[in-house]
């Protein structure tokens, strides 16, 4: 099925290439590329899941575009989000990161990511499995528009509770839900999006 086949009945607005997308992805080329190549695609590795949860934690109070544009530097400082390496970080590593304007220089968030790496190492079965255990039941209809996408759900609230009990920080229900969206645990591409269900 081509984009032209779906566009006339789509809720999703068309991008510059004519393909219908979630409206949030049309703001900049960075957002469109992230939407088209990564957002909502299943992440099954602990390292991949740790990176997404860490990035969502850094987003708190900021725009996702800000995080996206600082992602390369964050990956550099956090050893590619290798959990065991980050878990071994200490005070010198925190100070190193706070001195680099290329990243989000929040001591609380940096220290939370390091603490979360240590907590992730202790999760039975691993981080990815813990997140996927909170996937919603299949059959949920696609949201009609971005405005219909919830900020949190019962599943993300339960996931946040689980992670906090394990020692994670900066993982409230909204952050947990954003991570679930980013890693394909939930599919929130809007109806008509060329990457959505049934496309």
């Amino acid at each position: 099925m081509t984009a032209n086949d779906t566009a006339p009945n789509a809720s999703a607005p068309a991008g510059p290439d004519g393909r219908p997308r979630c409206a949030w992805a049309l703001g900049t080329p960075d957002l469109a590329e992230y939407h088209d190549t990564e957002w909502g695609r299943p992440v099954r590795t602990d390292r991949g899941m740790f990176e997404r949860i860490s990035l969502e934690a850094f987003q708190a109070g900021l725009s996702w575009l800000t995080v996206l544009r600082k992602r390369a530097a964050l990956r550099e400082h956090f050893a590619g989000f290798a959990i065991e390496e980050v878990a071994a970080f200490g005070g010198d590593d925190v100070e190193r990161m706070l001195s680099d304007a290329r990243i989000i220089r929040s001591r609380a968030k940096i220290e939370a990511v390091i603490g979360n790496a240590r907590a992730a190492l202790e999760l039975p079965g691993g981080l990815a499995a813990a997140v996927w255990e909170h996937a919603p039941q299949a059959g949920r209809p696609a949201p009609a528009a971005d405005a219909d996408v919830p900020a949190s759900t019962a599943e993300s609230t339960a996931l946040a509770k689980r992670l906090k009990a394990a020692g994670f920080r900066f993982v409230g229900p909204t952050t947990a839900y954003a991570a679930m969206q980013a890693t394909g645990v939930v599919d929130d591409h809007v109806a008509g999006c060329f990457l959505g269900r049934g496309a």
Side-chain angles (χ1 to χ4, degrees), residues 62-159:
L62 302 171
S63 73
W64 177 245
L65 185 59
T66 296
V67 176
L68 202 56
R69 288 178 173 169
K70 292 181 179 287
R71 186 178 190 179
L74 287 165
R75 279 177 167 168
E76 177 185 324
H77 276 289
F78 283 104
F81 291 96
I83 297 175
E84 290 189 0
E85 290 186 49
V86 176
F89 282 6
D92 289 346
D93 296 292
V94 174
E95 297 306 321
R96 165 178 54 82
M97 286 186 262
L98 287 172
S99 69
D100 190 345
R102 296 178 304 147
I103 71 165
I104 296 160
R105 293 186 289 179
S106 163
R107 181 181 295 275
K109 292 177 181 179
I110 291 169
E111 291 178 345
V113 170
I114 296 169
N116 290 351
R118 295 168 183 162
L121 291 177
E122 302 300 320
L123 278 174
L127 178 58
V131 176
W132 278 94
E133 286 172 5
H134 294 82
Q137 290 186 335
R140 192 178 63 150
D146 285 357
D148 297 311
V149 177
S152 63
T153 62
E155 293 87 359
S156 75
T157 299
L159 173 59

